[in-house]
Amino acid sequence: MAQLFSRAASVRLNVALLIVFVALPVIGSFGWWALYNSPLRTRRDIPIEQPIFFSHKHHAGQLGIDCRYCHATVETSAFAGIPPIHTCMSCHSQVWRTAAMLEPVRAAWRTGIVLPWIRVNDLPQFTVFDHSIHVNRGVGCATCHGRVDQMDVVAPAVTFDMRWCLKCHRQVARDDSQMKHLTDCVTCHR
Amino acid sequence: MSDFEEFPPGADVWPDDFSRRDFVKLAAASLALAGVGCTRQPLETIVPYVATPEHRVQGEPQWFATAIPFRGFGFGVLAKSFEGRPVKLEGNPDHPASLGATNAFVQASILDLYDPQRSQYVRKNGAPSSWSAFAAEVVPAIGRGGRGLHILSQTITSPSLIALTAQFPAAKWHQWEPVSRDAVYEGTRLAFGAPLEPRYHFENADVVVALDADFLSDDPASVRYARDFTRRRSSTTNRLYALEPMPTITGAMADHRLPCRASDVANHARALAERIALPTGDHWIDAIARDLIAHRGAALVVAGDCQPPIVHALAHSINSFVGGGRTVEYSEPVASPTSHIDSLRDLIHDLDAGAVDVLIILGGNPVYDTPIDLDFMHHLARAKISVHLSPYVDETSSRTQWHLPESHPLEQWSDIRAFDGTATIIQPLIAPLYDTRSAHEVLSMLTGAPATGHDIVKNFWSPRTNFEASLARGIVEGTALPAVPVERRPLPAAEHESRGAPLEINLRPDPTIWDGRHAKNGWLQELPKPITKLVWGSAAFVGPQLAERLHLRNEQVVEISAHGQIVSAPVWIVPGHADGSVTLHFPNAYPLLFSDSLLAISGASLRNTLKVHSLVSTQEHFTLDGRDHLRVATLEEARRDPHWAHDPEKEPRRDETLYPAYPYLGHAWGMAIDLNSCIGCGACVIACNAENNIPFVGREQVARGRAMHWIRVDRYFAGSIDDPKIDHEPILCMHCENAPCEPVCPVEATVHSSEGLNEMVYNRCIGTRYCSNNCPYKVRRFNFLQYAPKSDPIDLMWNPDVTVRSRGVMEKCTYCVQRIERTRIRAADEHRPIRDGEIVTACQQACPAQAIVFGDVNDPKSRVSRLKAEGRNYSILAELNTRPRTTYLGKLRNPNAELEKR
């Protein structure tokens, strides 16, 4: 009686087993890991289009306006604050008064109807963050937000994953025995 | 050990008709779908202001001084507003009725604002209408000077509203509220010849006699009185005697409590007044009288609002003998002293005579809460035009031609006087959520020249005070009524009442929903009533002797009949309830409210129907009974052994461990609760609900033991069942240093912080409930269902600093960690350490008795450390070596030796 399986069948089976049980999981894991960390999930470095074109590069970079001119409550509040239309109009009632690009801003100022913006840096709902304490303890804006002064349209510069936050928090908690609470869960989740 | 099961029956049962097999199917489907359902976080819009309002710091709360009415009297609060949404109320420390604390009613009123059941538009005969249609029809119907206009309101103390009614000189104003201050004003009229407002000074009283007076919970000044009373108690240990039929929290605080029928209180009061001159032979009365005389100048007798005027008059006479003018003073009445029942009769008479062209009912629900024999509902139809202004569409709204939706106090401009006359300007924190108006705006609409609430209030106060300053401070300076001198008159001779009526019924306001006006408030319905611990319902309360004689058992439905009316209610046996009387709380009691007997009915009969109506009482939920967790001593015992509460043999030594001790190097948060001060009112429970986004779960879920309260007030009876001692003990997460919940969590969702907090991480929790099973204090709560509504308008109310928990997550007291962190950050921003007393937990802030103290136990000078160093300090279940951070100060009683040795 002839052999039921050819000589090559055994090799093919071994290769198939190798692919299914070793190669696919390894490739899959790497693939998932790459996908997980890619901008597809994190949105990192992907500029987010806003309802009107506002260039941080022009205002903060080229004109040198301080971040705090518009994000005024960053040193006193949990929320850095996004500027009211009033802040825009403090300059643009004098300069570029008729620019077509600024018409939505002027319309909002005239009518009192708000101009919704898209949030760029968005933490999950179960995470609490306070700007004032970070800024007052020497964490500069660029540490978390990147070189906004070089971005025309702002993109998230970091992923804001917990491991990213913990890089600093763990460091400080290790170095200063009075700051151990920085790695307590309730510091950020409550 | 107690006979009670740790968990009530049904606690582990799936809530509806849903089999285990269905559950597995659903779980499998969920697992399959979990893989495909994930998306990344959606983009969110963020909305800048056009121009930022003045003083608004984005992301930070703002505080505004205003007031919330309680029984028509003002209660000053500071309201916290977050991005324009009021989220929490705290007491205003400058306000005389508050002094920074609150009660449960005030705390819960924030929930009323966001109640989806609120009336949202004007209705005419039930159909949607408009304010302009209302004005067009009603204004021409009012005669010159308001002739034919009748106004029916509850107690009103608003100066600007009273001034508005002056524009209708020919109109008539009637007042009705089932639990009024009539007896108080009539009592002073008997004693001094003029209606006056008594103001008690518990801070000066060493001996207090409460004649059926629940001054710790139902007086317009109860929060203030609780503070004064407990402060005196902790400094010099005063003595309180209480005579009352149904145990109240005042009776529970008493060193001696005499259960007696409400109608007998008058006889006791008279005997006491006479005994001050001559001995009576009654052991109790003689002992009290001797004590009062011995503490002349620091003695006080208080009569309850539900007692007849003669009892008040007798109390005033006794006070003029033994008070020395230091424990009580009198002022002109704050509210109108017109008798409510006469005022209502007058209205009914006018309605009958056809003299009422327009009847405006400002608030209240008179169709429901007026005496049944007056048949207000029938007479109401005689008014040519009837109008009801109310926050809800209720029984009265559906029987008047017009229903007008009323604004919440946090949505309107108004003003209100406190118990001592101090006026507060009420300011809105938010524009009306719906098309609602205030009483001021409705009355001004009737004048034909409508003004806004703001203009009415501002025009009234601007000539009288600095409007802006009064608004900012929350009180109008100099409006407290001055004390007036009084001259005692001879009292009428004793009426020989036919004593010994077989059964007497007391009609009383409910401890949590008052006369029914808070019945729509879920937090108050679910707040266990202080003595009975009933929720979502009330009962006919009887004493153990009566129950035994009539073979009554808890939850058996009885029919109580009087004057041809019948009310049926389930029985609840209350140890310490007076024999021969039954207590019914409003709104259950309304079918027995008669105009001639009002709050006390003699000669009723009671029939057992043998039917059963189940009631929900939380006392046996989460019970710690039988484990020596409540320590009480008399003052005498405490003097003999200053460390009486401490049992060092039971507490394991700190070094009995193989592991090195964890060093708490920075702060170490802890709490001390003084059981001597705790009055058991429940303000802390509602304050915690409001601060920590705790939803109510409903009657059926509470019956399964699923109430979500992070702090509960346990009640204990000790001694004889006829006259027990009653104690309260607030229990919240102990934040044990060796927390039994932590090692059993498979996912580390509950862990310990570097400052000793037992942290609960919601987004890690998978809902095994092992932690709750392992907690010896039973303080962990599980979201069996999605209890917290995430829908409009309730979601506007949630505190943005606290996560709104989802189904399947465990939760418990966090020591208000959001307040700790916010204070820490603000202190660090200012480069200074956190000051002692700067972090105040929500329960601590609300407590009228200041029984709760929170702080850093690593700082030996902090208030909490000093309290923990006292001899009375002890830990609950210390023998388990849990090392709780929450400790208790044992309760002291100050009994009269003369009554004790009997």
Side-chain angles (χ1 to χ4, degrees):
Chain A
M1 201 177 121
Q3 291 279 348
L4 205 54
F5 294 105
S6 70
R7 207 173 267 271
S10 159
V11 176
R12 279 203 295 273
L13 177 71
N14 285 343
V15 169
L17 285 176
L18 206 68
I19 288 171
V20 171
F21 287 103
V22 180
L24 275 185
V26 168
I27 294 166
S29 305
F30 276 106
W32 182 84
W33 185 243
L35 203 63
Y36 184 80
N37 287 310
S38 82
L40 278 176
R41 181 188 72 90
T42 63
R43 290 203 178 94
R44 191 180 157 187
D45 294 334
I46 297 183
I48 293 177
E49 292 293 332
Q50 299 291 350
I52 56 170
F53 181 80
F54 171 82
S55 170
H56 276 84
K57 183 179 176 181
H58 174 64
H59 289 85
Q62 292 161 356
L63 298 178
I65 299 172
D66 194 300
C67 303
R68 293 167 297 181
Y69 184 79
C70 300
H71 302 289
T73 56
V74 72
E75 289 169 309
T76 51
S77 165
F79 185 48
I82 59 167
I85 302 294
H86 185 271
T87 307
C88 310
M89 293 305 284
S90 59
C91 295
H92 286 298
S93 58
Q94 306 294 324
V95 296
W96 300 104
R97 301 174 49 174
T98 53
M101 189 195 255
L102 291 172
E103 180 50 28
V105 177
R106 288 192 298 269
W109 183 242
R110 267 197 316 275
T111 59
I113 296 170
V114 293
L115 190 62
W117 212 251
I118 311 280
R119 197 184 259 282
V120 175
N121 296 294
D122 194 4
L123 286 180
Q125 297 285 305
F126 51 81
T127 311
V128 181
F129 178 80
D130 191 299
H131 273 93
S132 71
I133 191 62
H134 290 85
V135 172
N136 290 336
R137 288 296 161 117
V139 181
C141 307
T143 310
C144 309
H145 297 298
R147 294 300 299 268
V148 171
D149 60 335
Q150 294 170 6
M151 300 178 198
D152 263 329
V153 178
V154 176
V158 301
T159 60
F160 292 111
D161 284 339
M162 186 166 146
R163 57 187 162 152
W164 182 82
C165 300
L166 276 174
K167 271 194 290 191
C168 286
H169 276 227
R170 281 204 176 118
Q171 184 74 47
V172 180
R174 220 183 357 251
D175 294 348
D176 184 348
S177 67
Q178 291 294 312
M179 300 296 272
K180 273 171 134 179
H181 61 85
L182 281 190
T183 49
D184 290 346
C185 304
V186 288
T187 302
C188 311
H189 306 291
R190 44 189 118 108
Chain B
M1 283 299 294
S2 90
D3 301 333
F4 303 131
E5 291 290 327
E6 181 171 311
F7 300 104
D12 55 348
V13 177
W14 194 255
D16 40 37
D17 194 18
F18 195 79
S19 71
R20 188 170 290 263
R21 179 175 286 245
D22 287 337
F23 174 78
V24 175
K25 279 184 199 161
L26 201 66
S30 311
L31 191 67
L33 290 171
V36 296
C38 289
T39 58
R40 62 180 184 176
Q41 206 171 339
L43 285 177
E44 213 176 80
T45 53
I46 184 168
V47 184
Y49 286 106
V50 172
T52 313
E54 201 184 4
H55 304 308
R56 172 77 46 87
V57 176
Q58 293 181 45
E60 290 293 296
Q62 278 181 297
W63 296 85
F64 297 92
T66 180
I68 298 289
F70 172 57
R71 296 185 66 186
F73 289 76
F75 193 97
V77 294
L78 299 177
K80 180 182 179 183
S81 166
F82 195 86
E83 305 292 344
R85 302 177 284 121
V87 294
K88 180 80 172 52
L89 302 175
E90 304 292 3
N92 180 354
D94 291 340
H95 192 271
S98 160
L99 302 180
T102 44
N103 60 17
F105 300 116
V106 171
Q107 282 293 344
S109 69
I110 193 101
L111 186 64
D112 292 336
L113 171 64
Y114 297 109
D115 187 347
Q117 293 181 49
R118 277 178 65 186
S119 170
Q120 304 186 5
Y121 50 86
V122 177
R123 287 161 212 241
K124 187 186 182 190
N125 297 325
S129 183
S130 68
W131 287 100
S132 51
F134 163 74
E137 182 180 319
V138 177
V139 174
I142 298 171
R144 178 190 288 273
R147 204 154 26 81
L149 172 67
H150 287 247
I151 302 168
L152 174 63
S153 70
Q154 297 180 310
T155 303
I156 283 192
T157 59
S158 162
S160 61
L161 190 65
I162 292 167
L164 252 184
T165 58
Q167 298 199 22
F168 303 106
K172 259 172 130 175
W173 186 1
H174 309 269
Q175 285 189 96
W176 169 254
E177 201 165 317
V179 187
S180 66
R181 303 266 292 165
D182 280 1
V184 176
Y185 297 139
E186 190 53 34
T188 46
R189 206 197 308 267
L190 282 179
F192 309 116
L196 296 168
E197 193 85 44
R199 289 205 294 255
Y200 302 113
H201 289 283
F202 290 94
E203 71 273 22
N204 295 334
D206 279 330
V207 176
V208 179
V209 181
L211 299 172
D212 193 9
D214 188 6
F215 63 85
L216 292 178
S217 78
D218 72 6
D219 196 277
S222 54
V223 171
R224 165 64 176 265
Y225 289 165
R227 164 81 60 96
D228 291 345
F229 177 81
T230 51
R231 186 175 283 174
R232 182 79 175 189
R233 196 165 179 82
S234 43
S235 58
T236 66
T237 311
N238 52 16
R239 182 175 292 147
L240 171 64
Y241 300 91
L243 294 82
E244 59 184 13
M246 162 89 183
T248 63
I249 61 170
T250 305
M253 277 307 274
D255 299 295
H256 291 283
R257 180 177 172 277
L258 180 67
C260 74
R261 306 205 309 178
S263 62
D264 293 339
V265 172
N267 297 322
H268 287 303
R270 190 172 290 278
L272 191 61
E274 285 163 1
R275 166 58 186 86
I276 305 271
L278 288 168
T280 61
D282 181 320
H283 186 70
W284 241 82
I285 298 299
D286 283 357
I288 300 181
R290 264 196 288 279
D291 213 6
L292 284 174
I293 293 168
H295 291 89
R296 216 172 177 144
L300 175 61
V301 181
V302 188
D305 289 8
C306 298
Q307 281 291 326
I310 185 68
V311 176
H312 289 260
L314 286 163
H316 297 314
S317 320
I318 300 171
N319 284 332
S320 62
F321 275 119
V322 298
R326 293 180 59 239
T327 55
V328 60
E329 62 182 11
Y330 300 89
S331 73
E332 294 298 323
V334 174
S336 158
T338 322
S339 153
H340 281 214
I341 187 68
D342 291 347
S343 171
L344 184 66
R345 281 208 182 97
D346 192 27
L347 173 62
I348 301 250
H349 177 264
D350 287 347
L351 281 167
D352 259 351
V356 180
D357 293 333
V358 178
L359 174 62
I360 306 270
I361 302 170
L362 297 177
N365 188 359
V367 165
Y368 190 62
D369 68 14
T370 47
I372 195 133
D373 55 318
L374 293 182
D375 197 8
F376 182 80
M377 187 170 90
H378 171 78
H379 290 97
L380 179 61
R382 302 289 302 269
K384 293 193 184 76
I385 296 176
S386 53
V387 183
H388 186 217
L389 174 74
S390 143
Y392 294 100
V393 177
D394 56 22
E395 290 79 358
T396 305
S397 305
S398 57
R399 283 169 183 84
T400 52
Q401 291 154 19
W402 288 90
H403 161 77
L404 309 178
E406 187 180 12
S407 302
H408 188 272
L410 291 169
E411 293 174 332
Q412 58 170 277
W413 284 95
S414 178
D415 47 13
I416 195 161
R417 283 180 182 275
F419 74 104
D420 67 348
T422 303
T424 297
I425 298 171
I426 295 178
Q427 58 177 325
L429 269 87
I430 190 168
L433 295 178
Y434 311 113
D435 188 16
T436 57
R437 305 224 172 148
S438 68
H440 291 69
E441 287 164 338
V442 169
L443 279 193
S444 108
M445 203 183 257
L446 296 182
T447 62
T452 62
H454 172 259
D455 291 348
I456 298 166
V457 173
K458 187 162 186 181
N459 291 342
F460 179 84
W461 285 107
S462 288
R464 292 171 171 83
T465 180
N466 180 340
F467 185 75
E468 299 296 332
S470 300
L471 192 62
R473 190 152 173 236
I475 57 170
V476 183
E477 206 71 63
T479 45
L481 295 171
V484 293
V486 291
E487 199 172 325
R488 209 162 52 80
R489 291 182 159 199
L491 289 183
E495 293 167 40
H496 288 286
E497 278 190 24
S498 58
R499 291 189 61 185
L503 194 64
E504 172 181 310
I505 314 288
N506 308 313
L507 313 186
R508 292 298 156 89
D510 188 280
T512 63
I513 60 173
W514 197 246
D515 55 9
R517 70 181 66 174
H518 301 297
K520 289 203 165 62
N521 190 306
W523 278 346
L524 287 173
Q525 285 277 16
E526 203 158 295
L527 173 66
K529 301 182 198 299
I531 302 296
T532 59
K533 296 286 151 193
L534 291 177
V535 297
W536 293 102
S538 189
F541 301 105
V542 300
Q545 301 111 314
L546 187 75
E548 203 180 315
R549 264 204 319 281
L550 300 177
H551 308 290
L552 298 173
R553 284 207 304 273
N554 272 353
E555 305 188 333
Q556 271 181 344
V557 177
V558 291
E559 280 182 0
I560 300 166
S561 46
H563 309 297
Q565 292 287 334
I566 295 179
V567 67
S568 37
V571 161
W572 195 258
I573 301 166
V574 183
H577 193 291
D579 192 14
S581 76
V582 179
T583 301
L584 282 172
H585 284 157
F586 295 122
N588 275 16
Y590 281 124
L592 295 183
L593 182 67
F594 299 103
S595 59
D596 52 348
S597 53
L598 289 176
L599 302 180
I601 299 172
S602 56
S605 66
L606 189 147
R607 191 176 71 83
N608 190 346
T609 64
L610 300 176
K611 286 184 204 143
V612 170
H613 176 88
S614 71
L615 292 166
V616 183
S617 169
T618 59
Q619 177 61 25
E620 289 155 26
H621 298 175
F622 318 115
T623 183
L624 298 175
D625 214 2
R627 297 183 198 178
D628 186 29
H629 45 82
L630 179 75
R631 304 201 182 149
V632 184
T634 64
L635 203 56
E636 197 49 46
E637 289 162 353
R639 274 199 197 110
R640 277 202 302 273
D641 175 15
H643 293 275
W644 58 274
H646 218 59
D647 190 356
E649 284 185 13
K650 269 195 171 171
E651 285 174 27
R653 287 191 4 235
R654 300 217 109 186
D655 53 1
E656 265 180 20
T657 169
L658 291 173
Y659 298 100
Y662 183 88
Y664 292 102
L665 297 172
H667 300 288
W669 306 117
M671 184 181 274
I673 300 181
D674 189 349
L675 297 178
N676 206 24
S677 295
C678 175
I679 59 171
C681 63
C684 49
V685 180
I686 306 283
C688 177
N689 285 357
E691 171 72 19
N692 292 305
N693 300 340
I694 300 173
F696 55 89
V697 300
R699 178 192 160 92
E700 184 252 4
Q701 292 290 306
V702 182
R704 294 175 193 271
R706 296 177 179 179
M708 297 303 288
H709 297 154
W710 286 4
I711 179 169
R712 66 178 194 268
V713 184
D714 287 344
R715 178 268 295 131
Y716 296 97
F717 291 120
S720 87
I721 193 167
D722 296 329
D723 181 18
K725 300 268 183 257
I726 308 169
D727 301 299
H728 305 286
E729 187 172 48
I731 302 276
L732 63 166
C733 177
M734 302 284 157
H735 291 271
C736 313
E737 288 184 7
N738 289 339
C741 51
E742 289 171 6
V744 296
C745 180
V747 293
E748 299 212 320
T750 184
V751 289
H752 226 67
S753 87
S754 63
E755 298 178 339
L757 296 182
N758 173 240
E759 304 167 314
M760 185 66 223
V761 189
Y762 306 123
N763 42 321
R764 273 186 187 167
C765 178
I766 57 169
T768 63
R769 293 186 276 144
Y770 297 161
C771 54
S772 168
N773 291 345
N774 215 33
C775 172
Y777 305 97
K778 297 289 152 238
V779 293
R780 289 181 158 262
R781 303 287 175 266
F782 186 66
N783 287 277
F784 282 90
L785 303 172
Q786 180 60 50
Y787 295 125
K790 292 182 174 173
S791 57
D792 199 41
I794 288 281
D795 55 359
L796 295 175
M797 184 186 71
W798 301 132
N799 181 354
D801 292 340
V802 179
T803 308
V804 179
R805 280 81 58 189
S806 305
R807 191 182 62 167
V809 170
M810 187 62 72
E811 61 184 68
K812 50 134 214 137
C813 163
T814 61
Y815 269 171
C816 284
V817 66
Q818 67 280 6
R819 294 186 176 203
I820 299 177
E821 295 300 329
R822 200 175 263 274
T823 310
R824 187 207 308 282
I825 287 172
R826 290 299 155 262
D829 281 350
E830 292 164 24
H831 298 280
R832 60 172 174 81
I834 300 172
R835 289 185 285 261
D836 182 37
E838 197 178 356
I839 302 171
V840 180
T841 63
C843 50
Q844 175 184 9
Q845 191 157 19
C847 182
Q850 295 193 300
I852 302 173
V853 175
F854 178 82
D856 185 355
V857 295
N858 263 1
D859 171 9
K861 290 199 291 294
S862 71
R863 238 185 106 210
V864 68
S865 297
R866 291 202 307 268
L867 285 177
K868 281 175 186 279
E870 277 193 22
R872 290 192 290 139
N873 182 60
Y874 72 96
S875 307
I876 296 182
L877 304 183
E879 61 271 27
L880 300 181
N881 196 24
T882 52
R883 294 192 202 149
R885 280 280 173 86
T886 305
T887 58
Y888 292 79
L889 300 185
K891 181 170 178 167
L892 289 173
R893 291 190 181 280
N894 183 16
N896 186 341
E898 203 177 331
L899 286 172
E900 279 297 279
K901 61 187 179 223
R902 188 161 59 123

